[in-house]
Amino acid sequence: MSYRVIALDLDGTVLDPQKRILPESLAALNEARQAGVKVLIVTGRHHVAIHPFYQALQLDTPAICCNGTYSYDYPAKKVLDSNPLSTQEAVQVLSYLQGTEIQHLMYVDDAILYQFHDTISRTLAWSDSLPEHQRPNLQQINSFQDAIYDVNFIWKFATSSPNVVKLREISEQIEEKVGLECEWSWVDQVDITKKGNSKGMRLKQWVESQGISMKEVIAFGDNFNDISMLETAGLGVAMENAADAVKERADLVTRDNTQPGIAEVIRKYVL
């Protein structure tokens, strides 16, 4: 099979635990691009939080962000296809989160909004480590309820809690009562987006717009929000550090994100 597209999840996949891309991955992906293969980032992140990786990979393709909520054209600095939350849906989500210990961020327009430093401390530390031109736009606000009416687009809510039982309970209520998509992006993190949004859906949309079949795509991922693209790609590759349930849905399992497994797969199946 000749593969023409490589779709990459970031955290836990092409990024190691220190948020770096392995040199072996960079080299193999660069060779693939030079051979005419399209490389895409497909992530749960906001587009403002992927600058260093997009630039390191030297991409010119759209980035698929917030679990498929929208695609973003970096060179033109504009949102392409999107399906954001409505104001009413965002109000309903907040009504379920209020009064709980569940921490939450709101991804909007060109910014990530937060209320308390402890909900975003790791991201703030990571941001401070970057050159100024690569730092994400992180904005502290007084009230999510007020902020909802001050933005154009609400991409998603990113929630987390050490109380996984409570997080699961609230997520299920939001899915059932509000009709939204709640996808686990880590063992203690759930992303809340418009129903129907997924990495697989948005990736398929872009791939087919290029006159390419999903059979010609290799997708790499490590978590539950990656399953939709692992299953729809011609070759879905899970990382060894992925949950067993994710690995079971993939076509292939490669080495964990501290090892050059991505490079090995690319060299074997693409180059």
Side-chain angles (χ1 to χ4, degrees):
M1 182 69 199
S2 176
Y3 294 104
R4 300 171 61 190
V5 176
I6 298 171
L8 297 166
D9 170 55
L10 289 177
D11 298 282
T13 301
V14 77
L15 301 184
D16 71 8
Q18 286 72 47
K19 306 302 180 189
R20 301 173 302 200
I21 302 175
L22 299 179
E24 296 92 340
S25 298
L26 276 175
L29 289 162
N30 186 49
E31 287 180 45
R33 280 193 310 100
Q34 291 177 349
V37 177
K38 297 290 187 182
V39 178
L40 273 84
I41 288 174
V42 186
T43 181
R45 289 183 179 230
H46 195 300
H47 69 267
V48 300
I50 66 174
H51 291 302
F53 318 121
Y54 191 89
Q55 291 162 8
L57 292 166
Q58 302 177 60
L59 302 183
D60 59 2
T61 48
I64 294 173
C65 302
C66 292
N67 298 329
T69 295
Y70 66 103
S71 51
Y72 186 79
D73 183 332
Y74 260 93
K77 296 184 178 179
K78 68 176 183 179
V79 172
L80 301 175
D81 299 294
S82 67
N83 190 18
L85 293 165
S86 69
T87 300
Q88 183 57 35
E89 286 167 336
V91 169
Q92 289 179 278
V93 169
L94 287 175
S95 72
Y96 281 94
L97 298 177
Q98 280 180 321
T100 72
E101 70 253 44
I102 297 172
Q103 299 178 336
H104 51 282
L105 310 172
M106 194 163 75
Y107 288 40
V108 303
D109 300 337
D110 292 306
I112 298 173
L113 308 185
Y114 68 98
Q115 218 171 339
F116 306 108
H117 277 86
D118 60 348
T119 63
I120 199 170
S121 56
R122 285 183 297 179
T123 304
L124 288 167
W126 171 71
S127 176
D128 289 343
S129 74
L130 297 172
E132 193 167 343
H133 71 280
Q134 289 186 336
R135 292 177 183 173
N137 183 14
L138 309 172
Q139 295 183 12
Q140 187 170 22
I141 57 171
N142 292 322
S143 164
F144 282 112
Q145 286 80 2
D146 293 341
I148 284 173
Y149 300 98
D150 294 332
V151 300
N152 295 310
F153 300 109
I154 302 168
W155 306 126
K156 78 169 187 180
F157 285 90
T159 68
S160 62
S161 176
N163 186 344
V164 176
V165 173
K166 185 66 174 178
L167 184 59
R168 185 177 301 279
E169 176 190 327
I170 294 295
S171 299
E172 289 175 352
Q173 288 176 3
I174 291 171
E175 282 191 327
E176 181 184 348
K177 304 296 186 183
V178 190
L180 300 179
E181 202 81 55
C182 295
E183 283 196 305
W184 291 81
S185 57
W186 196 241
V187 292
D188 59 352
Q189 298 173 9
V190 172
D191 292 336
I192 303 169
T193 66
K194 192 89 166 184
K195 193 168 186 64
N197 288 336
S198 72
K199 291 184 176 185
M201 176 276 294
R202 196 68 66 189
L203 175 62
K204 183 174 186 286
Q205 180 186 57
W206 182 84
V207 166
E208 292 182 347
S209 77
Q210 304 300 300
I212 302 172
S213 164
M214 283 298 290
K215 292 179 181 178
E216 300 171 280
V217 178
I218 294 183
F220 293 88
D222 76 304
N223 224 300
F224 294 98
N225 59 342
D226 296 313
I227 289 174
S228 62
M229 71 172 180
L230 295 181
E231 290 191 324
T232 53
L235 184 66
V237 184
M239 309 303 290
E240 179 57 43
N241 49 285
D244 288 341
V246 177
K247 289 188 278 192
E248 289 168 3
R249 309 280 281 275
D251 302 305
L252 180 71
V253 177
T254 191
R255 296 204 271 170
D256 70 37
N257 63 327
T258 67
Q259 304 294 321
I262 290 176
E264 291 168 359
V265 171
I266 291 171
R267 295 197 181 282
K268 180 175 181 179
Y269 292 93
V270 180
L271 301 174

PDB file of all heavy atoms in Angstrom, residues 153-170:
ATOM      1  N   PHE A 153     -16.200  32.198  19.200  1.00  0.00           N
ATOM      2  CA  PHE A 153     -16.278  30.750  19.074  1.00  0.00           C
ATOM      3  C   PHE A 153     -15.812  30.071  20.354  1.00  0.00           C
ATOM      4  O   PHE A 153     -14.789  30.449  20.928  1.00  0.00           O
ATOM      5  CB  PHE A 153     -15.410  30.249  17.913  1.00  0.00           C
ATOM      6  CG  PHE A 153     -15.804  30.821  16.577  1.00  0.00           C
ATOM      7  CD1 PHE A 153     -14.994  31.744  15.952  1.00  0.00           C
ATOM      8  CD2 PHE A 153     -16.992  30.442  15.965  1.00  0.00           C
ATOM      9  CE1 PHE A 153     -15.350  32.282  14.724  1.00  0.00           C
ATOM     10  CE2 PHE A 153     -17.366  30.975  14.737  1.00  0.00           C
ATOM     11  CZ  PHE A 153     -16.544  31.902  14.109  1.00  0.00           C
ATOM     12  N   ILE A 154     -16.550  29.071  20.784  1.00  0.00           N
ATOM     13  CA  ILE A 154     -16.157  28.248  21.931  1.00  0.00           C
ATOM     14  C   ILE A 154     -15.857  26.864  21.372  1.00  0.00           C
ATOM     15  O   ILE A 154     -16.759  26.134  20.958  1.00  0.00           O
ATOM     16  CB  ILE A 154     -17.270  28.186  22.992  1.00  0.00           C
ATOM     17  CG1 ILE A 154     -17.621  29.609  23.472  1.00  0.00           C
ATOM     18  CG2 ILE A 154     -16.838  27.306  24.168  1.00  0.00           C
ATOM     19  CD1 ILE A 154     -18.885  29.687  24.284  1.00  0.00           C
ATOM     20  N   TRP A 155     -14.572  26.516  21.359  1.00  0.00           N
ATOM     21  CA  TRP A 155     -14.158  25.254  20.737  1.00  0.00           C
ATOM     22  C   TRP A 155     -14.428  24.056  21.648  1.00  0.00           C
ATOM     23  O   TRP A 155     -14.970  23.055  21.215  1.00  0.00           O
ATOM     24  CB  TRP A 155     -12.671  25.302  20.374  1.00  0.00           C
ATOM     25  CG  TRP A 155     -12.264  26.448  19.525  1.00  0.00           C
ATOM     26  CD1 TRP A 155     -11.266  27.351  19.782  1.00  0.00           C
ATOM     27  CD2 TRP A 155     -12.800  26.825  18.240  1.00  0.00           C
ATOM     28  NE1 TRP A 155     -11.152  28.265  18.760  1.00  0.00           N
ATOM     29  CE2 TRP A 155     -12.086  27.967  17.795  1.00  0.00           C
ATOM     30  CE3 TRP A 155     -13.822  26.310  17.436  1.00  0.00           C
ATOM     31  CZ2 TRP A 155     -12.355  28.594  16.583  1.00  0.00           C
ATOM     32  CZ3 TRP A 155     -14.099  26.940  16.232  1.00  0.00           C
ATOM     33  CH2 TRP A 155     -13.369  28.053  15.815  1.00  0.00           C
ATOM     34  N   LYS A 156     -14.025  24.179  22.903  1.00  0.00           N
ATOM     35  CA  LYS A 156     -14.236  23.042  23.814  1.00  0.00           C
ATOM     36  C   LYS A 156     -14.003  23.485  25.252  1.00  0.00           C
ATOM     37  O   LYS A 156     -13.422  24.544  25.521  1.00  0.00           O
ATOM     38  CB  LYS A 156     -13.300  21.889  23.472  1.00  0.00           C
ATOM     39  CG  LYS A 156     -11.865  22.060  23.955  1.00  0.00           C
ATOM     40  CD  LYS A 156     -11.051  20.764  23.813  1.00  0.00           C
ATOM     41  CE  LYS A 156      -9.680  20.919  24.466  1.00  0.00           C
ATOM     42  NZ  LYS A 156      -8.867  19.697  24.361  1.00  0.00           N
ATOM     43  N   PHE A 157     -14.438  22.634  26.184  1.00  0.00           N
ATOM     44  CA  PHE A 157     -14.049  22.718  27.587  1.00  0.00           C
ATOM     45  C   PHE A 157     -13.092  21.568  27.851  1.00  0.00           C
ATOM     46  O   PHE A 157     -13.366  20.423  27.464  1.00  0.00           O
ATOM     47  CB  PHE A 157     -15.259  22.586  28.518  1.00  0.00           C
ATOM     48  CG  PHE A 157     -16.130  23.809  28.574  1.00  0.00           C
ATOM     49  CD1 PHE A 157     -17.196  23.962  27.684  1.00  0.00           C
ATOM     50  CD2 PHE A 157     -15.897  24.814  29.498  1.00  0.00           C
ATOM     51  CE1 PHE A 157     -18.005  25.072  27.721  1.00  0.00           C
ATOM     52  CE2 PHE A 157     -16.702  25.939  29.551  1.00  0.00           C
ATOM     53  CZ  PHE A 157     -17.758  26.073  28.650  1.00  0.00           C
ATOM     54  N   ALA A 158     -11.985  21.868  28.472  1.00  0.00           N
ATOM     55  CA  ALA A 158     -11.042  20.826  28.892  1.00  0.00           C
ATOM     56  C   ALA A 158     -11.191  20.670  30.400  1.00  0.00           C
ATOM     57  O   ALA A 158     -10.942  21.614  31.152  1.00  0.00           O
ATOM     58  CB  ALA A 158      -9.606  21.228  28.543  1.00  0.00           C
ATOM     59  N   THR A 159     -11.623  19.494  30.837  1.00  0.00           N
ATOM     60  CA  THR A 159     -11.869  19.260  32.255  1.00  0.00           C
ATOM     61  C   THR A 159     -10.916  18.210  32.800  1.00  0.00           C
ATOM     62  O   THR A 159     -10.435  17.345  32.062  1.00  0.00           O
ATOM     63  CB  THR A 159     -13.317  18.791  32.502  1.00  0.00           C
ATOM     64  OG1 THR A 159     -13.488  17.483  31.934  1.00  0.00           O
ATOM     65  CG2 THR A 159     -14.321  19.745  31.878  1.00  0.00           C
ATOM     66  N   SER A 160     -10.634  18.296  34.087  1.00  0.00           N
ATOM     67  CA  SER A 160      -9.776  17.295  34.723  1.00  0.00           C
ATOM     68  C   SER A 160     -10.103  17.217  36.207  1.00  0.00           C
ATOM     69  O   SER A 160     -10.595  18.181  36.806  1.00  0.00           O
ATOM     70  CB  SER A 160      -8.295  17.642  34.540  1.00  0.00           C
ATOM     71  OG  SER A 160      -7.990  18.874  35.162  1.00  0.00           O
ATOM     72  N   SER A 161      -9.842  16.033  36.778  1.00  0.00           N
ATOM     73  CA  SER A 161     -10.070  15.847  38.200  1.00  0.00           C
ATOM     74  C   SER A 161      -9.402  14.558  38.659  1.00  0.00           C
ATOM     75  O   SER A 161      -9.451  13.551  37.950  1.00  0.00           O
ATOM     76  CB  SER A 161     -11.568  15.774  38.510  1.00  0.00           C
ATOM     77  OG  SER A 161     -11.789  15.489  39.881  1.00  0.00           O
ATOM     78  N   PRO A 162      -8.792  14.575  39.854  1.00  0.00           N
ATOM     79  CA  PRO A 162      -8.274  13.322  40.400  1.00  0.00           C
ATOM     80  C   PRO A 162      -9.400  12.372  40.801  1.00  0.00           C
ATOM     81  O   PRO A 162      -9.197  11.166  40.930  1.00  0.00           O
ATOM     82  CB  PRO A 162      -7.465  13.775  41.629  1.00  0.00           C
ATOM     83  CG  PRO A 162      -8.046  15.105  42.003  1.00  0.00           C
ATOM     84  CD  PRO A 162      -8.489  15.722  40.724  1.00  0.00           C
ATOM     85  N   ASN A 163     -10.606  12.926  40.982  1.00  0.00           N
ATOM     86  CA  ASN A 163     -11.783  12.124  41.302  1.00  0.00           C
ATOM     87  C   ASN A 163     -12.399  11.638  39.983  1.00  0.00           C
ATOM     88  O   ASN A 163     -13.344  12.229  39.448  1.00  0.00           O
ATOM     89  CB  ASN A 163     -12.790  12.949  42.100  1.00  0.00           C
ATOM     90  CG  ASN A 163     -13.972  12.115  42.580  1.00  0.00           C
ATOM     91  OD1 ASN A 163     -14.209  11.007  42.097  1.00  0.00           O
ATOM     92  ND2 ASN A 163     -14.718  12.642  43.545  1.00  0.00           N
ATOM     93  N   VAL A 164     -11.845  10.558  39.442  1.00  0.00           N
ATOM     94  CA  VAL A 164     -12.244  10.072  38.123  1.00  0.00           C
ATOM     95  C   VAL A 164     -13.692   9.598  38.118  1.00  0.00           C
ATOM     96  O   VAL A 164     -14.394   9.735  37.111  1.00  0.00           O
ATOM     97  CB  VAL A 164     -11.291   8.945  37.667  1.00  0.00           C
ATOM     98  CG1 VAL A 164     -11.740   8.355  36.338  1.00  0.00           C
ATOM     99  CG2 VAL A 164      -9.862   9.472  37.557  1.00  0.00           C
ATOM    100  N   VAL A 165     -14.152   9.060  39.244  1.00  0.00           N
ATOM    101  CA  VAL A 165     -15.543   8.599  39.330  1.00  0.00           C
ATOM    102  C   VAL A 165     -16.497   9.775  39.130  1.00  0.00           C
ATOM    103  O   VAL A 165     -17.479   9.686  38.372  1.00  0.00           O
ATOM    104  CB  VAL A 165     -15.811   7.904  40.684  1.00  0.00           C
ATOM    105  CG1 VAL A 165     -17.301   7.589  40.833  1.00  0.00           C
ATOM    106  CG2 VAL A 165     -14.979   6.641  40.807  1.00  0.00           C
ATOM    107  N   LYS A 166     -16.216  10.889  39.799  1.00  0.00           N
ATOM    108  CA  LYS A 166     -17.059  12.081  39.663  1.00  0.00           C
ATOM    109  C   LYS A 166     -16.960  12.654  38.254  1.00  0.00           C
ATOM    110  O   LYS A 166     -17.976  13.075  37.670  1.00  0.00           O
ATOM    111  CB  LYS A 166     -16.634  13.143  40.695  1.00  0.00           C
ATOM    112  CG  LYS A 166     -17.521  14.378  40.707  1.00  0.00           C
ATOM    113  CD  LYS A 166     -18.931  14.050  41.185  1.00  0.00           C
ATOM    114  CE  LYS A 166     -19.783  15.283  41.339  1.00  0.00           C
ATOM    115  NZ  LYS A 166     -21.168  14.956  41.758  1.00  0.00           N
ATOM    116  N   LEU A 167     -15.748  12.660  37.704  1.00  0.00           N
ATOM    117  CA  LEU A 167     -15.548  13.180  36.355  1.00  0.00           C
ATOM    118  C   LEU A 167     -16.349  12.359  35.337  1.00  0.00           C
ATOM    119  O   LEU A 167     -16.984  12.907  34.439  1.00  0.00           O
ATOM    120  CB  LEU A 167     -14.055  13.155  35.999  1.00  0.00           C
ATOM    121  CG  LEU A 167     -13.643  13.762  34.660  1.00  0.00           C
ATOM    122  CD1 LEU A 167     -14.055  15.229  34.573  1.00  0.00           C
ATOM    123  CD2 LEU A 167     -12.134  13.627  34.456  1.00  0.00           C
ATOM    124  N   ARG A 168     -16.344  11.060  35.514  1.00  0.00           N
ATOM    125  CA  ARG A 168     -17.103  10.199  34.614  1.00  0.00           C
ATOM    126  C   ARG A 168     -18.614  10.456  34.772  1.00  0.00           C
ATOM    127  O   ARG A 168     -19.354  10.519  33.786  1.00  0.00           O
ATOM    128  CB  ARG A 168     -16.785   8.723  34.895  1.00  0.00           C
ATOM    129  CG  ARG A 168     -17.440   7.748  33.912  1.00  0.00           C
ATOM    130  CD  ARG A 168     -17.027   6.321  34.203  1.00  0.00           C
ATOM    131  NE  ARG A 168     -15.589   6.130  34.122  1.00  0.00           N
ATOM    132  CZ  ARG A 168     -14.927   5.964  32.973  1.00  0.00           C
ATOM    133  NH1 ARG A 168     -15.593   5.969  31.828  1.00  0.00           N
ATOM    134  NH2 ARG A 168     -13.628   5.784  32.989  1.00  0.00           N
ATOM    135  N   GLU A 169     -19.046  10.610  36.004  1.00  0.00           N
ATOM    136  CA  GLU A 169     -20.473  10.843  36.277  1.00  0.00           C
ATOM    137  C   GLU A 169     -20.954  12.132  35.611  1.00  0.00           C
ATOM    138  O   GLU A 169     -21.987  12.147  34.941  1.00  0.00           O
ATOM    139  CB  GLU A 169     -20.686  10.917  37.796  1.00  0.00           C
ATOM    140  CG  GLU A 169     -22.104  11.244  38.215  1.00  0.00           C
ATOM    141  CD  GLU A 169     -22.193  11.539  39.707  1.00  0.00           C
ATOM    142  OE1 GLU A 169     -21.430  10.927  40.493  1.00  0.00           O
ATOM    143  OE2 GLU A 169     -23.021  12.393  40.072  1.00  0.00           O
ATOM    144  N   ILE A 170     -20.198  13.212  35.794  1.00  0.00           N
ATOM    145  CA  ILE A 170     -20.579  14.506  35.219  1.00  0.00           C
ATOM    146  C   ILE A 170     -20.531  14.447  33.689  1.00  0.00           C
ATOM    147  O   ILE A 170     -21.408  14.975  32.992  1.00  0.00           O
ATOM    148  CB  ILE A 170     -19.663  15.633  35.743  1.00  0.00           C
ATOM    149  CG1 ILE A 170     -19.861  15.838  37.255  1.00  0.00           C
ATOM    150  CG2 ILE A 170     -19.911  16.936  34.990  1.00  0.00           C
ATOM    151  CD1 ILE A 170     -21.233  16.333  37.647  1.00  0.00           C
TER     152      ILE A 170
END
